[in-house]
């Protein structure tokens, strides 16, 4: 500050008053010059400050920048530099400006001058308003910069992302355009497929890149939304990118069409190659199969089968030729297509058109060989068929001609011409010759069978007969002849029995018939004796011979039946049955006539006797007769036989006739009684009673006759029944014995079949037959037993022989035993035959197994050929001795089987000849295989090499596809990770940075898996030669960026923790600071004591306390600045620094104002003479230098205050003044002491009048003054100042006249 110029008076030589007046004017001029200088300085400073603020406002209001973060950051740096530099400097200037104005006015007031009022536009208020406006603009600028920084940071990140993605996309598009524009050479189907797979992979990339393009477009939209500067460029770039990207699809389609055309061509070539290879392989396989089939010689095992095979053979040859021609035509067509397409190679086959021609020729040769072999086999089968027919003819002739003819000859022929059984038996035995003719024929048949076996014939469809069955037929023939001989023997015995019975009956009739007519002696006793004799004859002789006649008839019928059965001559008995029946009928007629004569004679004699004897005699006779008849009729006679029964019946008839014949005697007796009673016999009652008794007894005879007749009839019937049962028993037992013989004959037919199945089947049939035989036997036995039971029920024992049969239970049991024995023997024979057949079949099975083993051995060897890898192994397989051994065993076993009469073998389709043929074909097949082995091995090697190559190519294609997919996936992942790396870390808390770190950990955790993917890609790259350097570089850079990201995240976490600490510190200290301000306001509100000094002291203390908090405010400012530096504008508190600062300033100003008012009141009370405005100015100066806010000034503060009020003194003078002003000697100056000093200081100032007087002295007591007047007593520069500033009132002699009074008045009143 410019100190007030002390108005010192210097005593100069000359006029002391003028000098003093000049000095006083000079001082005033000097003072005014200094004031003017200060005013000019103020105006200069204020205008400069205002200009600067205006310029700054323009700068702050300027929202233009180059659109980069760097520019915004530079502007923020500039703003920061401004705040810590220029603003502070300008703030000081503003404070100095205010201090300068205060100083000017302080000096003016101290010299009773009017206060300096700067131009309005330069006023402090205007400066302050401009300063506040600037602060507002500064705040707006800060906010704008913050917004722009965030926006530009975001924009920068967006641009960076957009640039990176766009660069990557442009590079990718460029790379793909080059790829799509490249015409790749297609040399194979694999090349085409690989290129298409590559194109498919590109299509997948292109499809996947759509999302990337969308991201780029979205980023472009975001950039253009935030940045108008690059909007056109970004739009143009993204449009170009989109156009290029969209163009890829068309180029892709064009390339695909080209590749598809090439693929179609290659596929066509490959399809033709494959088709030819398949057709050739199929033809080769077909040819080999056909050759193998043609090698087979299974023309059939019978002539009909072989002949039928002719059609199959023709059809087979036709089919083979047609198939060969069709296949060859296809092959030729495909071969020609390959030639037309210029295909000269075929990796799928080594076969050529010439090879197919050779195979075709081979098939033709094999067809000819087979047809030749067929002709041979046909001839062999014809020879075998002839042999079969020969055997069948001989067998059929033997069975159907020889044996039946021989049997007919020995039975029917001989039996039909020779009636004598005994002679016939001798003739048959002589001609039969013990079966020698049969044995001769069997030997012939056996020789033919051996020939058949030697020819390999195992079956004969022309006949069912085999040697065993023929032998069985011969045995059956012998059995039939034996049965016939037995029938002839039975015939002989029956004829002998017939002859005996017929002769005996004939002789008896001839001898008896003449004796039937009796001579009567004409006496009653004689007639009666004759009747008695007659009754005996009738019941015995006549009845027995009647039975004989019946037996003769039965024998005749039986003999006739037997003769008819055996085709024997009819039986011509010596005594004809008809004759016997005729003479016996005549005999019976004669017998009846004789009997009638006897009984007529008896009636005549009895009538005579009646007439002769009288009544008594007649009564006596009748009584005797009744007694005799009653006794007879009451007697039950036993009948031991039919003859006895017949005799008893005859006796009954005789007695009945006797009774009937004597009935007239009863009538006579009754007539006599009537006569006697009429003649008045003196005892008529006797006659009546005796006659009545006789009549009653006679009447009772009817009942006795009926009973007797019934008994006799029953007895006769019983005896007849017994006789019938005897006859039935005889017939049944004879039939039973005959059936047993025939059954045994059939049972002893041990032909059980000619094979095991037939024999096994026969077991059921045999069981059925056995059951039938046993059932039949049981039926016979039951029937015999029934007859036996009936006979025994009649008291007849069948154990004893009878006249009809010698058969008895013992005989029956013997036959049953024979039957059971025959059945057991047949069972044993069957079991033996079955066992033998099973043994034979086992031998057949064994042979079949060996044949199968041999065939399987050959087949296995054929199968092993496919696995053989060297010619040595093939030769080793070829010389295997097992096949030869098996074939040798088959030959030996078959010879032994045939030797033992075992022919045919259903267990195998193979014959020895077929096995030998198969062995021959095997040898030929092996030889063919040996010849083609090297060619096949070469083919296999080439095919294997081709397969390996194809697999390698296919694997390369798969690896390339895998590589492309994995690489693209990895590039996408790297891009995503790098996006994360490139994204700014925009977090506002520790929690957010921790979450961001966690999120990044999850991303970074995929590095190992992608390391594996990368290693796999390296492996594939090594194998395929695919370039991977750029991907490896990207992956390596991504890893490095990951390490940097971890470092950045760590630093950011530390930063966030530091910021969080600042926020907490700001919140705590800010809250404490505001609390203290609130307390200060509260204390200030209590400064209302009547003691004004106490109020001033309290308020001064409060002001000091508040001002002492300036350091805390500065600490908050530093914290806020630190947060601002970190671009953290949200402190997290409910207040910000500007609010705190504003609250601080408002509180301080308010309490200061209250203090000024209190001081003003105190000064008024103390009457210091200072105006309130002066008091306020001095309070401001005092407060400014009261650095400790203690309401006291230390020395240095006091020295500054002196300078501020215009007292420019040296340090010593200032010290002296301090000591003088410090009235209480406490080493510090109070405000009161300071104001007292100013009052004292102001008391020593020039007044307006004093200055007018001084000018007047200089002007020579004139009302105006000239320049010369002034120069005489005042320095030239000061005079220059005066003439320049003083108003001119006139002019004299060319010299201006200056109105000093107006000028002085102006200095005090302006």
């Amino acid at each position: 500050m410019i100190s007030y110029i002390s108005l010192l008076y210097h005593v100069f030589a000359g006029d002391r008053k003028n000098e003093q007046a000049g000095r006083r004017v000079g001082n005033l001029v000097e003072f005014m010059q200094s004031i003017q200088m200060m005013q000019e300085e103020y105006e200069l400073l204020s205008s400069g400050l205002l200009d600067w603020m205006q310029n700054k406002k323009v700068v702050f209001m300027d929202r233009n920048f180059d659109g980069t973060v760097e520019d915004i950051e530079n502007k923020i740096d500039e703003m920061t530099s401004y705040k810590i530099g220029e603003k502070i400097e300008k703030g000081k200037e503003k404070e100095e400006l205010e201090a300068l104005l205060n100083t000017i006015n302080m000096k003016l007031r101290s010299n009773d001058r009017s206060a300096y009022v700067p131009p309005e536009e330069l006023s402090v208020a205007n400066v302050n308003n401009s300063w506040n406006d600037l602060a507002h603009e500064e705040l707006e600028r800060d906010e704008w910069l913050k917004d722009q920084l965030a926006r530009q940071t975001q924009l920068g990140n967006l641009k960076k992302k957009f640039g990176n993605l766009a660069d990557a996309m442009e590079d990718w598009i460029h790379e793909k355009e080059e790829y799509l524009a490249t015409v790749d050479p297609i040399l194979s189907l694999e090349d085409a497929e690989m290129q298409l797979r590559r194109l498919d992979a590109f299509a997948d990339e292109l499809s996947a890149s759509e999302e990337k393009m969308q991201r780029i477009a979205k980023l472009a939209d975001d950039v253009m939304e935030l940045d108008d500067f690059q909007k056109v460029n970004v739009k143009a770039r993204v449009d170009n990118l989109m156009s290029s990207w969209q163009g890829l699809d068309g180029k892709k389609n064009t390339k695909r069409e080209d590749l598809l055309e090439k693929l179609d061509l290659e596929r066509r070539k490959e399809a033709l190659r494959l088709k030819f290879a398949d057709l050739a392989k199929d033809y080769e396989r077909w040819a080999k199969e056909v050759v193998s089939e043609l090698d087979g010689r299974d023309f059939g095992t019978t002539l009909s089968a072989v002949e039928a095979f002719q059609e199959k053979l023709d059809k087979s040859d036709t089919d083979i030729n047609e198939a060969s021609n069709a296949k060859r035509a296809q092959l030729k067509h495909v071969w020609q297509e390959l030639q037309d397409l210029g295909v000269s190679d075929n990796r799928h086959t080594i076969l050529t058109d010439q090879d197919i021609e050779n195979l075709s020729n081979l098939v033709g040769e094999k067809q000819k060989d087979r047809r030749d072999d067929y002709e041979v086999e046909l001839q062999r089968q014809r020879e075998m068929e002839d042999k079969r027919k020969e055997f069948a003819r001989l067998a059929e002739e033997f069975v159907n001609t020889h044996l039946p003819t021989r049997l007919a000859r020995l039975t029917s022929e001989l039996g039909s011409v020779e009636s004598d059984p005994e002679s016939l038996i001798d003739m048959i035995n002589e001609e039969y010759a013990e079966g020698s003719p049969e044995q001769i024929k069997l030997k012939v048949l056996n020789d033919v069978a051996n020939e058949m076996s030697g020819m390999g014939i195992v079956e004969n469809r022309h006949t069912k007969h085999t040697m065993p069955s023929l032998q069985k037929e011969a045995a059956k023939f012998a059995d039939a002849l034996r049965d016939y001989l037995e029938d002839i023997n039975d015939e002989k015995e029956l004829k002998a029995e017939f002859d005996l019975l017929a002769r005996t009956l004939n002789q008896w009739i001839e001898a008896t018939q003449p004796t039937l007519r009796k001579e009567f002696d004409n006496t009653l006793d004689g007639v009666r004796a004759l009747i008695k004799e007659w009754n005996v004859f009738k019941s015995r002789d006549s009845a027995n011979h009647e039975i004989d006649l019946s037996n003769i008839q039965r024998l005749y019928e039986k003999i006739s039946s037997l003769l008819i059965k055996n085709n024997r001559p009819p039986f011509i008995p010596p005594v004809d049955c008809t004759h016997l029946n005729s003479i016996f009928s005549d005999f019976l007629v004669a017998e009846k006539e004789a009997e009638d004569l006897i009984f007529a004679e008896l009636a005549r004699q009895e009538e005579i006797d009646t007439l002769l004897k009288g009544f008594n005699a007649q009564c006596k006779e009748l009584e005797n007769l009744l007694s005799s008849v009653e006794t007879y009729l009451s007697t039950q006679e036993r009948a031991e036989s039919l003859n006895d029964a017949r005799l008893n019946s005859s006796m009954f008839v005789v007695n009945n006739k006797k009774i009937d014949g004597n009935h007239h005697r009863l009538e006579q007796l009754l007539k006599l009684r009537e006569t006697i009673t009429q003649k008045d016999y003196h005892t008529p009652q006797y006659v009546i009673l005796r006659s009545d008794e006789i009549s009653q007894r006679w009447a009772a005879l009817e009942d006795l006759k009926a009973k007797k007749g019934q008994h006799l009839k029953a007895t006769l019937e019983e005896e007849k029944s017994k006789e019938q049962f005897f006859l039935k028993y005889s017939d049944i037992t004879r039939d039973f014995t005959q059936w047993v013989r025939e059954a045994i004959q059939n049972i002893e037919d041990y032909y059980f079949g000619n094979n095991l199945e037939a024999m096994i089947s026969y077991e059921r049939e045999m069981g059925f037959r056995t059951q039938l035989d046993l059932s039949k036997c049981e039926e016979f036995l039951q029937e015999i037993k029934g007859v036996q039971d009936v006979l025994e029920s009649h008291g007849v024992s069948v154990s004893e022989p009878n006249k009809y049969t010698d058969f008895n239970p013992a005989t029956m049991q013997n036959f049953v035993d024979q039957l059971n024995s025959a059945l057991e023997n047949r069972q044993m024979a069957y079991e033996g035959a079955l066992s033998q057949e099973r043994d034979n079949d086992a031998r057949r099975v064994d042979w079949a197994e060996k044949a199968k083993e041999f065939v399987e051995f050959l087949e296995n060897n054929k199968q092993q050929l496919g696995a053989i890898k060297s010619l040595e192994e093939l030769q080793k397989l070829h010389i295997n001795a097992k096949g030869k051994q098996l074939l040798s065993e088959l030959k030996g076993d078959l010879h032994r089987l045939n030797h033992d009469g075992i022919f045919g073998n259903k267990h195998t389709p193979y014959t020895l000849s077929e096995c030998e043929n198969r062995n021959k074909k095997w040898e030929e097949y092996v030889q063919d295989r040996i010849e083609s082995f090297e060619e096949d091995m070469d083919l296999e090697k080439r095919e294997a090499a081709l397969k390996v190559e194809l697999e390698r190519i296919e694997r390369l294609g798969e690896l390339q596809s895998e590589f492309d997919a994995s690489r693209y996936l990895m590039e996408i992942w790297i891009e995503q990770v790098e996006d994360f790396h490139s994204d700014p870390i925009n977090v506002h808390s520790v929690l957010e940075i921790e979450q961001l770190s966690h999120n990044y950990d999850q991303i970074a955790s995929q590095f190992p898996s992608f390391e594996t993917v990368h290693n796999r890609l390296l492996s594939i790259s090594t194998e395929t030669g695919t370039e991977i350097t750029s991907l490896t570089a990207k992956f390596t850079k991504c890893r490095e960026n990951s390490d940097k990201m971890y470092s950045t995240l760590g630093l950011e976490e530390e930063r966030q923790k530091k910021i969080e600490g600042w926020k907490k510190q700001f919140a705590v200290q800010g809250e404490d600071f505001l609390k203290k301000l609130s307390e200060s306001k509260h204390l200030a509100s209590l400064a209302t004591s009547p003691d004004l000094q106490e109020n001033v002291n309290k308020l001064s203390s409060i002001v000091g306390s508040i001002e002492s908090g300036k350091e805390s405010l500065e600490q908050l400012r530093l914290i806020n600045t630190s947060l601002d530096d970190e671009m953290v504008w949200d402190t997290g508190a409910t207040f910000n620094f500007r609010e705190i600062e504003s609250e601080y300033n408002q509180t301080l100003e308010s309490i200061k104002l209250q203090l000024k008012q209190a001081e003003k009141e105190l000064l008024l009370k103390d009457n210091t003479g200072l105006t309130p405005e002066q008091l306020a100015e001095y309070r401001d100066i005092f407060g400014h230098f009261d650095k400790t806010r203690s309401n006291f000034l230390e020395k240095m503060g006091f020295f500054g205050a002196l300078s501020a009020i215009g007292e420019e003194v040296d340090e010593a003078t200032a010290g002296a003044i301090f000591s003088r002003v410090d009235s209480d000697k406490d080493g510090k100056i109070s405000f009161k002491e300071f104001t007292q000093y100013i009052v004292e200081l102001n008391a020593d100032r020039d007044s307006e009048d004093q200055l007018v007087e001084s000018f007047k002295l200089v002007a020579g007591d004139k009302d105006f003054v000239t320049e010369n007047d002034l120069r005489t007593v005042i320095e030239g520069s000061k005079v220059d100042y005066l003439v320049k500033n003083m108003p001119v009132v006139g002019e004299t002699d060319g010299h201006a006249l200056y109105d000093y009074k107006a000028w002085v008045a102006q200095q005090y009143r302006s």
Side-chain angles (χ1 to χ4, degrees), residues 374-623:
Y374 171 76
E375 295 298 332
V376 172
E377 179 62 20
L378 179 61
Q379 182 60 33
R380 189 177 79 87
Q381 285 294 336
R382 283 173 176 167
E383 293 174 358
M384 291 171 67
E385 189 69 6
D386 290 343
K387 189 59 66 178
R388 288 190 188 95
K389 288 181 178 178
E390 180 185 356
F391 180 85
R393 178 179 58 75
L394 292 173
E396 294 299 322
E397 187 275 331
F398 178 73
V399 174
N400 298 327
T401 302
H402 173 76
L403 290 180
T405 301
R406 278 269 287 167
L407 187 61
R409 167 64 186 165
L410 293 174
T411 57
S412 299
E413 290 183 14
L414 293 178
S416 65
V417 299
E418 177 57 54
S419 60
D420 180 40
E422 192 167 353
S423 299
L424 179 60
I425 290 172
D426 293 338
M427 291 173 64
I428 289 172
N429 286 331
E430 181 180 358
E431 191 165 335
Y432 175 61
E434 296 182 351
S436 176
E438 286 71 41
Q439 295 303 318
I440 292 171
K441 287 187 175 293
L442 285 173
K443 184 178 185 306
V444 172
L445 282 162
N446 190 58
D447 292 341
V448 175
N450 288 335
E451 291 178 15
M452 290 170 61
S453 176
M455 297 174 74
I457 299 173
V458 296
E459 53 83 25
N460 194 342
R461 67 184 177 87
H462 300 292
T463 181
K464 66 179 181 178
H465 298 297
T466 63
M467 285 308 300
S469 70
L470 291 172
Q471 291 166 352
K472 293 287 184 182
E473 292 294 332
K476 287 173 66 176
F477 163 76
D479 291 340
L481 186 60
R482 185 185 69 242
D483 293 341
Y484 182 76
L485 290 173
E486 288 180 356
D487 285 346
I488 299 302
N489 192 55
D490 289 343
E491 177 192 342
K492 181 180 76 172
E493 293 176 356
L494 290 172
K495 282 183 176 180
E497 183 181 358
F498 178 88
D499 186 60
L500 177 63
L501 288 175
R503 287 180 185 276
T504 302
L505 179 61
N506 189 58
Q507 291 173 1
W508 178 80
I509 291 172
E510 289 177 352
T512 304
Q513 188 169 358
T515 65
L516 290 176
R517 290 185 176 272
K518 301 296 184 184
E519 294 292 332
F520 303 117
D521 60 1
N522 204 23
T523 63
L524 180 61
D525 291 337
V527 171
R528 287 176 177 169
L530 189 60
I531 285 181
K532 184 177 182 181
E533 180 184 346
W534 181 260
N535 289 334
V536 171
F537 168 76
K538 284 282 289 186
S539 63
R540 288 186 182 178
D541 291 348
S542 180
N544 287 335
H545 285 90
E546 187 177 358
I547 294 171
D548 288 341
L549 180 61
S550 175
N551 289 336
I552 288 169
Q553 184 65 37
R554 185 177 58 77
L555 280 173
Y556 180 80
E557 291 173 356
K558 194 166 188 178
I559 291 168
S560 297
S561 175
L562 187 61
L563 291 173
I564 292 170
K565 170 188 171 186
N566 292 310
N567 197 26
R568 298 274 290 128
F571 178 45
I572 303 174
V575 179
D576 186 49
C577 286
T578 306
H579 172 69
L580 283 176
N581 287 328
S582 177
I583 65 175
F584 196 79
S585 296
D586 293 343
F587 174 81
L588 291 177
V589 170
E591 185 184 55
K592 182 70 169 60
E593 290 175 352
E595 186 178 40
D596 291 342
L597 290 173
I598 290 172
F599 280 103
E601 180 63 20
L602 177 63
R604 190 180 69 81
Q605 289 297 330
E606 287 177 344
E607 183 179 3
I608 294 172
D609 186 67
T610 304
L611 293 171
L612 292 176
K613 289 181 178 180
F615 175 78
N616 286 330
Q618 194 169 1
C619 285
K620 182 66 174 175
E621 288 179 0
L622 287 175
E623 288 174 348

Side-chain angles (χ1 to χ4, degrees), residues 852-883:
K852 180 182 179 183
E853 182 182 1
F854 176 74
V855 172
E856 288 179 349
F857 170 77
L858 295 181
E859 292 300 323
N860 289 336
N861 283 352
K862 284 184 179 181
Q863 293 177 4
Q864 291 179 33
L865 289 178
I868 289 177
K869 303 300 181 184
S870 67
L871 184 61
E872 290 75 13
E873 292 180 20
L874 180 60
Q875 291 171 340
K876 182 179 180 181
L877 180 66
H878 183 214
I879 63 174
N880 192 332
K882 183 178 179 180

Side-chain angles (χ1 to χ4, degrees), residues 68 104 238 305 337 481 488 589 684 715 730 889 948 982 990 1101 1118 1142 1239 1293 1298:
T68 64
I104 291 172
V238 78
E337 283 190 279
L481 186 60
I488 299 302
V589 170
T715 302
S730 175
E889 290 178 0
V948 170
S982 63
V990 175
S1101 176
L1118 290 174
S1142 176
V1239 170
D1293 298 330
Y1298 298 98

Side-chain angles (χ1 to χ4, degrees), residues 836-1077:
Q836 181 62 46
E837 187 60 31
R838 279 178 171 158
D839 291 342
N840 294 344
D841 203 59
R843 292 172 66 184
R844 290 188 186 97
V845 169
D846 181 62
W847 196 90
E849 290 296 329
K850 285 184 179 179
K852 180 182 179 183
E853 182 182 1
F854 176 74
V855 172
E856 288 179 349
F857 170 77
L858 295 181
E859 292 300 323
N860 289 336
N861 283 352
K862 284 184 179 181
Q863 293 177 4
Q864 291 179 33
L865 289 178
I868 289 177
K869 303 300 181 184
S870 67
L871 184 61
E872 290 75 13
E873 292 180 20
L874 180 60
Q875 291 171 340
K876 182 179 180 181
L877 180 66
H878 183 214
I879 63 174
N880 192 332
K882 183 178 179 180
K884 295 179 181 178
Q885 179 184 351
L886 286 172
L887 189 60
S888 176
E889 290 178 0
L890 286 171
K891 290 179 181 178
D893 290 349
L894 184 63
H895 176 73
R896 286 186 287 275
L897 286 170
N898 293 340
H899 181 268
D900 293 339
I902 303 171
F903 300 96
N905 197 336
K906 68 181 181 62
H907 300 291
T908 178
Y910 310 118
T911 62
L912 179 62
S913 60
E914 184 175 355
C915 290
E916 291 174 336
N917 186 48
R918 283 176 178 265
N919 187 62
K920 177 183 176 183
K921 295 303 178 185
W922 158 249
E923 295 291 337
E924 294 173 356
Y925 182 73
V926 172
Q927 189 60 40
D928 290 342
R929 286 290 292 148
I930 290 174
E931 292 173 359
S932 63
F933 185 82
E934 292 182 357
E935 179 183 349
D936 291 342
M937 290 297 292
D938 181 61
L939 175 60
E940 289 176 2
K941 288 178 181 178
R942 290 184 61 183
E943 288 179 344
L946 176 60
K947 182 179 180 182
V948 170
E949 178 61 19
L950 290 175
E951 288 176 351
R952 187 188 72 81
I953 293 172
E954 184 177 358
R955 173 171 171 76
L956 288 177
E958 291 173 352
L959 289 175
Q960 188 62 48
S961 298
E962 179 186 352
F963 181 89
D964 292 339
S966 298
R967 179 181 64 181
Y968 184 69
L969 176 66
M970 190 167 179
E971 285 179 342
I972 292 296
W973 178 80
I974 290 173
E975 185 177 309
Q976 292 173 348
V977 176
E978 292 291 31
D979 279 350
F980 195 105
H981 291 162
S982 63
D983 283 343
I985 299 176
N986 186 20
V987 295
H988 304 91
S989 67
V990 175
L991 182 62
E992 289 182 6
I993 188 62
E994 288 176 347
Q995 181 62 46
L996 186 64
S997 298
H998 173 71
N999 294 341
Y1000 187 71
D1001 286 340
Q1002 290 182 326
I1003 294 175
S1005 65
Q1006 298 181 45
F1007 269 105
S1009 61
F1010 277 98
E1011 182 72 41
T1012 303
V1013 173
H1014 182 249
N1015 291 336
R1016 174 63 177 161
L1017 290 173
L1018 286 172
S1019 174
I1020 295 174
S1021 173
T1022 302
E1023 190 167 350
T1024 62
T1026 307
E1027 189 275 329
I1028 198 177
T1029 308
S1030 60
L1031 181 64
T1032 301
K1034 289 180 182 179
F1035 188 58
T1036 302
K1037 183 179 179 182
C1038 186
R1039 272 199 170 281
E1040 293 171 354
N1041 290 339
S1042 176
D1043 294 338
K1044 293 177 181 178
M1045 175 56 72
Y1046 272 117
S1047 175
T1048 303
L1049 288 171
L1051 293 173
E1052 181 61 24
E1053 185 172 0
E1054 292 178 3
R1055 173 178 171 271
Q1056 288 298 328
K1057 287 179 180 179
K1058 180 173 67 175
I1059 290 171
E1060 193 142 322
W1062 286 340
K1063 285 182 177 182
K1064 290 179 181 179
Q1065 186 179 357
F1066 181 83
V1068 172
Q1069 292 184 8
E1071 186 175 355
D1072 183 62
F1073 189 78
L1074 291 172
K1075 183 178 179 182
K1076 289 180 178 180
L1077 289 178

Side-chain angles (χ1 to χ4, degrees), residues 1216-1233:
I1217 296 172
F1218 181 84
S1219 298
R1220 181 169 58 80
V1221 173
D1222 183 15
S1223 58
D1224 55 5
K1225 305 304 181 186
D1226 56 0
K1228 53 188 178 181
I1229 305 300
S1230 67
F1231 183 66
K1232 183 177 181 180
E1233 291 173 334

